[in-house]
Amino acid sequence: MEHYSPIVQFAGLRFDIPVVLMTIFTSVLVFILVMFCTRNMTTGVPKGKQNFFEWVIEFIRGIAGQFMDAKTSTKFITLALTLFLYIFIGNQLGVMTNFTIEHSQPIPSLGITQEVISEHGHEVEHNGQKEKALGVVWFKSPTASPSVTFGLALMILLYAHYLGIRKDAGGYVKHWFQPHPLMFILHVMEEFIIKPLTLPLRLFGNIFAGEVLIAFLLAGSVAVVSLPLIVWLGYSVFVGSIQAYIFTTLALVYISQKVVDDH
């Protein structure tokens, strides 16, 4: 069965509606989680949710501490924490909510028109009659979309360059020609081709491939795929966690290269 992702055009731009909705939904979940864990915090020995949240913060602080001194890393803990939680939660959504909703009636406001149903839909039987239905995966990981992962990577890389310029504009320009003027070409390739591609593609590729296999297993016989599906779901949770860690770590590495003198 073909899965279609509804597209809406606005101001000359194309918006993938499920991706937009899940991006917003993930942001809301992160906000709710942080608000829940930070309510009624005490100054004594932390317990329960406060203990969990403080552990997460220390985990992020430990990552940042590998590349920056304590004073410098403190400035980026909030950014790194938000990035980690967003990617971690976003990665898991496709594992927990990977199911398809079929639409036989058009919903123009969501990009589902009669033409789209006719072109991309499949035949189903309803009340003894055959009709076209469009399968849409509304609930999926936003990080399974390259537009989201590339957007996150672009945000981090632009912010890192901004920090480098603000810290020392002269040193920032000089860096492009060190240790030899010919290195300028390699620096340009690294900063504007290699990093913008490797950072988001690693995250997108792993999450997208995982969701494809989950959808494939869900389409099979329950008796045949139950055990492989359970194993793969567990593995997908693990991979989603590792990818959140790797993305956050690389983001802090790129930032440290612009703000730490040793780099």
Side-chain angles (χ1 to χ4, degrees), residues 149-212:
T149 57
F150 273 85
L152 290 173
L154 182 62
M155 175 190 70
I156 293 299
L157 293 172
L158 289 178
Y159 181 58
H161 284 286
Y162 163 75
L163 291 173
I165 295 172
R166 191 180 69 171
K167 180 177 181 293
D168 181 7
Y172 173 83
V173 174
K174 185 179 179 181
H175 159 265
W176 293 92
F177 302 94
Q178 291 178 337
H180 190 278
L182 291 179
M183 289 296 292
F184 174 77
I185 299 175
L186 293 179
H187 285 311
V188 170
M189 292 179 61
E190 178 187 15
E191 296 292 340
F192 297 106
I193 298 178
I194 298 175
K195 287 182 180 179
L197 287 178
T198 56
L199 183 60
L201 283 178
R202 180 188 292 105
L203 175 59
F204 158 70
N206 280 276
I207 305 306
F208 177 76
E211 290 197 0
V212 169

Side-chain angles (χ1 to χ4, degrees), residues 6-255:
I7 303 293
V8 170
Q9 295 194 19
F10 178 76
L13 301 175
R14 292 166 57 86
F15 294 91
D16 187 316
I17 300 302
V19 172
V20 172
L21 293 178
M22 291 307 293
T23 299
I24 297 172
F25 182 60
T26 304
S27 301
V28 172
L29 285 181
V30 172
F31 178 78
I32 292 174
L33 175 64
V34 173
M35 290 295 293
F36 174 75
C37 291
T38 55
R39 287 183 61 190
N40 303 320
M41 296 184 68
T42 62
T43 56
V45 178
K47 296 181 181 180
K49 60 184 181 181
Q50 181 179 342
N51 186 50
F52 164 76
F53 197 68
E54 289 191 10
W55 177 85
V56 175
I57 293 176
E58 288 304 314
F59 174 71
I60 298 299
R61 193 185 301 276
I63 298 175
Q66 300 177 54
F67 316 108
M68 314 175 203
D69 60 83
K71 182 178 180 181
T72 303
S73 65
T74 300
K75 301 176 183 178
F76 305 105
I77 295 300
T78 301
L79 171 64
L81 176 65
T82 305
L83 189 64
F84 178 81
L85 290 177
Y86 181 85
I87 295 176
F88 175 78
I89 293 176
N91 288 350
Q92 309 308 328
L93 289 177
V95 177
M96 302 175 185
T97 60
N98 197 308
F99 58 91
T100 304
I101 297 178
E102 295 188 350
H103 299 270
S104 57
Q105 299 298 322
I107 311 177
S109 60
L110 294 179
I112 303 176
T113 63
Q114 189 59 56
E115 292 77 11
V116 169
I117 295 176
S118 300
E119 181 179 355
H120 299 278
H122 60 281
E123 285 192 352
V124 296
E125 190 170 331
H126 181 67
N127 295 330
Q129 295 182 344
K130 289 187 176 181
E131 59 182 15
K132 285 270 191 175
L134 185 69
V136 178
V137 181
W138 290 103
F139 303 95
K140 58 183 180 181
S141 298
T143 46
S145 169
S147 61
V148 174
T149 57
F150 273 85
L152 290 173
L154 182 62
M155 175 190 70
I156 293 299
L157 293 172
L158 289 178
Y159 181 58
H161 284 286
Y162 163 75
L163 291 173
I165 295 172
R166 191 180 69 171
K167 180 177 181 293
D168 181 7
Y172 173 83
V173 174
K174 185 179 179 181
H175 159 265
W176 293 92
F177 302 94
Q178 291 178 337
H180 190 278
L182 291 179
M183 289 296 292
F184 174 77
I185 299 175
L186 293 179
H187 285 311
V188 170
M189 292 179 61
E190 178 187 15
E191 296 292 340
F192 297 106
I193 298 178
I194 298 175
K195 287 182 180 179
L197 287 178
T198 56
L199 183 60
L201 283 178
R202 180 188 292 105
L203 175 59
F204 158 70
N206 280 276
I207 305 306
F208 177 76
E211 290 197 0
V212 169
L213 187 53
I214 290 173
F216 174 77
L217 292 174
L218 287 173
S221 169
V222 175
V224 175
V225 304
S226 292
L227 181 58
L229 179 59
I230 293 173
V231 172
W232 185 255
L233 287 174
Y235 179 71
S236 295
V237 171
F238 171 74
V239 169
S241 305
I242 293 298
Q243 288 304 314
Y245 168 77
I246 292 175
F247 196 100
T248 305
T249 299
L250 290 177
L252 289 170
V253 168
Y254 297 153
I255 290 174

